[in-house]
Amino acid sequence: MNLDEHITLWNQAAVKILDIRHNVMNPSELLEAYLLPASAFLYSIRGSASLKLDGMVHEVRQFHVLHGGKGMRLDIVVKEEFEYYLLFYRAVNALPRGKKLALLMELNKPFSLQYGFKPQEPLSLLRYLTGMEKVWVHARELERFKVKGLFYQFVHELLWQLDSQGVETHKPNLVSQAIRYIQQHYQESISLDSIAEQLNYSPRHLSMTFKAQTGASPIDYLIQVRLSHAKELLLTTDATLRDIAAEVGYSDVYYFSRVFKKHTSLSPVRFRTLGRQRGLAEDRPFILSGLSIGTGRRPRYIVNDDDNHYRLKRGGSIQMKRNSKSSMALVLLFTLTLLLSACSTGAGNTVVGGAGSPSGNTGSTTSSNATDNSGTVAKTRTVSTINGEIEIPAESKRIIVDLYLGSMIALGITPVGTPELNLKNPYYKEFLQGVENIGEYEAISLEKVLALDPDLIITGNDQLYESFSKIAPTVVVPFGELKNAHEEITYFGKALGKEAEANKWLEEYDRRISSAKERVAKAIPATSEFSIMQYNKKGTLAFGDNFGRGGQAVYTALGLKPPAAKKDLLMKEQLVEISEETLPDFAGDYIVITTNERTIEDFKADPVWGSLEAVKNDRIYVWSQDKSWYFDPIATLSQTEELADWLAGKDSN
């Protein structure tokens, strides 16, 4: 980040010192996988060591400063007797601040940054540290107040030297932090939301980043961690399945058994029997390396009302053990190998045609007769998808669907399961009686999907194909491939043998959309430009025509125009973060904005928003996210008519 911004944020910080440690390590000692319990400065006094912080290596000798954030993994390999200070602190921006400063804090997270350097004037920093250590020993409130004063002087000196030496800072690795959290808490009831909350990121951002770097979702990774520990317990203990299931985070032993068999093609009992027969317990290549210090247990900290609960019960020094140096990359590689191997083995549904088909053939279907082992003739349909020709039942009775629930309802189909967000959709909640919740979009529960015994799964997430296809025939239509309601309804009508229902629904859709367009055309100038936005305390986003928030209704259904200067950017990126400075460039003659935090009057009172012509002239439409986030054909139709009612009341002059 920009160092001037870093200094600005420190200048706004309220700080509490949590602990000061003074340690000495011998060349025979190793600190491995120590998770920083708070933001920390490490300052070396003498000796040399190789320090790794969140995978970034720092070769440290005398007088070297290293900073890291809470939850970062610290490894120390000592070369020469190594003496250092470790200072833990907590900092928050408690002072009143404007939106720009709040956004700066959110984007840069200054107290979680990683950086290391050798100061040109090391003794001044050492003087403050030794002064803090001497006073800290007394541990009374008055002395701690003095420590805080010395700490501010220490930070001032450090920032001055950072500035003069041009040191770069690095943000913490989100995926590494998520992996560590999962490995530590896999026995608990955790979800994508709870992980994201711990790491102070949105669930969507965490899921997308995790998948981009690992190829798997955080929940898929959690399942593999749980199963690897379950395998170890099956081979090395005589514990019951119920006890093992509970130990690795499953409260229901039957769910545990189903998940285990789905991913390994063997029941837990069969796995235990075969494993012991083959002597697999001797090498156990599937066991995740333990992250341990000393005896292998994480250091226990005093937890009470005192904020100073980061001090070890036995004191400040840390016991070490010599152990094989487990690599986070190897853990990741092995876990992903488990994912791939589990998905490629075991009984599954037959997929006809292995080659992927071009997108132009996405909607092709054929009917055929298939004979099962009992001689019973069952009709099937073959659908051409990105994963090849998929054979599905001619008349599916138990469908699970995530992204395309609106199309199913339009075709008269009620699924047996769908993600939680769909169940909250106000545009078709009345059609969802008895439909089961299968989890969040980014964290669908494969256990729940399996328990519902579907005969067809329809998804927009190609990352889930391998897992889903082991449960039932799976049709994948990636998000964005179907551009509008016509393409979507037509495709699924043909794929599911519901062409008549599709045509009837689209005729009514076209009639109502045409009526809405006529009303809008009479009310506003044809040259009007429209902005689709979302506002919250973290900032403002602008949207294109295929990301919800009303984009499909405004740009596609009503055919209205985005701001000309930003059209290409919006239609390419679909979602763009904008600052207060660039807000006027994205603001059209009319603004349709999603927010749960502001009213029209709030926007008018804001000096930046209030200066926009759309806001001054009451051409801003504010709606909540529970209505605007949806963009299926049913939602798009309702949103189009809602916005048309608003625009029809406007004076075109």
Side-chain angles (χ1 to χ4, degrees), residues 99-107 109 196-197 199-203 205 534-541 577-580 595 597:
K99 295 183 188 128
K100 183 176 181 180
L101 193 59
L103 182 60
L104 200 63
M105 171 64 72
E106 177 65 25
L107 293 175
K109 301 183 182 300
E197 183 178 357
L199 302 178
N200 200 25
Y201 284 88
S202 71
H205 178 74
Q534 177 174 300
Y535 170 87
N536 60 35
K537 61 184 178 181
K538 296 182 179 179
T540 303
L541 303 173
E577 292 187 23
I578 59 179
S579 64
E580 287 188 343
T595 181
E597 301 174 8

Side-chain angles (χ1 to χ4, degrees), residues 34-52:
Y34 176 62
L35 303 183
L36 298 180
S39 299
F41 286 104
L42 186 150
Y43 190 66
S44 63
I45 304 302
R46 60 184 176 88
S48 64
S50 179
L51 275 64
K52 185 185 292 185

Side-chain angles (χ1 to χ4, degrees), residues 58 64-67 114-118 162 167-170:
H58 302 263
H64 194 104
V65 179
L66 183 63
H67 181 271
Q114 177 181 164
Y115 50 87
F117 73 109
K118 185 179 177 68
L162 275 175
V167 177
E168 293 185 359
T169 57
H170 302 274

Side-chain angles (χ1 to χ4, degrees), residues 166-184:
V167 177
E168 293 185 359
T169 57
H170 302 274
K171 290 186 177 180
N173 186 289
L174 174 59
V175 174
S176 296
Q177 289 181 297
I179 288 173
R180 282 197 303 275
Y181 184 83
I182 291 171
Q183 290 175 340
Q184 292 174 11

Side-chain angles (χ1 to χ4, degrees), residues 430-444:
E430 60 185 285
F431 300 103
L432 300 179
Q433 293 297 323
V435 179
E436 294 289 333
N437 178 1
I438 61 171
E440 304 161 3
Y441 270 114
E442 297 90 348
I444 288 176

Side-chain angles (χ1 to χ4, degrees), residues 345-470:
T345 59
N349 296 287
T350 302
V351 178
V352 181
S357 60
S359 58
N361 296 328
T362 300
S364 63
T365 61
T366 59
S367 298
S368 62
N369 292 330
T371 305
D372 61 22
N373 293 333
S374 65
T376 302
V377 177
K379 288 187 176 182
T380 61
R381 304 178 65 84
T382 301
V383 181
S384 182
T385 75
I386 62 169
N387 295 302
E389 303 297 318
I390 306 298
E391 190 172 289
I392 68 173
E395 294 185 8
S396 297
K397 303 296 185 182
R398 299 185 61 80
I399 297 177
I400 282 179
V401 61
D402 51 28
L403 186 63
Y404 300 104
L405 177 58
S407 288
M408 298 300 104
I409 292 174
L411 297 174
I413 297 171
T414 300
V416 295
T418 196
E420 181 178 5
L421 188 61
N422 280 343
L423 297 174
K424 298 178 181 178
N425 189 320
Y427 299 108
Y428 45 64
K429 290 181 71 172
E430 60 185 285
F431 300 103
L432 300 179
Q433 293 297 323
V435 179
E436 294 289 333
N437 178 1
I438 61 171
E440 304 161 3
Y441 270 114
E442 297 90 348
I444 288 176
S445 169
L446 296 179
E447 295 98 324
K448 290 183 179 179
V449 172
L450 189 64
L452 289 173
D453 191 26
D455 57 14
L456 176 64
I457 299 174
I458 297 174
T459 179
N461 188 347
D462 56 351
Q463 299 287 339
L464 291 175
Y465 174 75
E466 291 294 338
S467 298
F468 279 161
S469 63
K470 295 298 180 182

Side-chain angles (χ1 to χ4, degrees), residues 402-407 409 418-429 432 439-441 479 485 488 509 532 534 543-554 557 592 594 596 623-640 642-643:
D402 51 28
L403 186 63
Y404 300 104
L405 177 58
S407 288
I409 292 174
T418 196
E420 181 178 5
L421 188 61
N422 280 343
L423 297 174
K424 298 178 181 178
N425 189 320
Y427 299 108
Y428 45 64
K429 290 181 71 172
L432 300 179
E440 304 161 3
Y441 270 114
F479 169 71
E488 189 171 319
Y509 175 86
I532 309 298
Q534 177 174 300
F543 294 86
D545 62 353
N546 201 21
F547 217 97
R549 278 68 168 187
Q552 283 85 346
V554 171
V592 176
T594 296
N596 288 350
W623 54 4
S624 59
Q625 63 187 35
D626 64 330
K627 297 189 69 176
S628 73
W629 277 18
Y630 300 96
F631 48 88
D632 58 89
I634 293 177
T636 297
L637 177 57
S638 296
Q639 291 167 356
T640 301
E642 180 177 338
L643 292 172

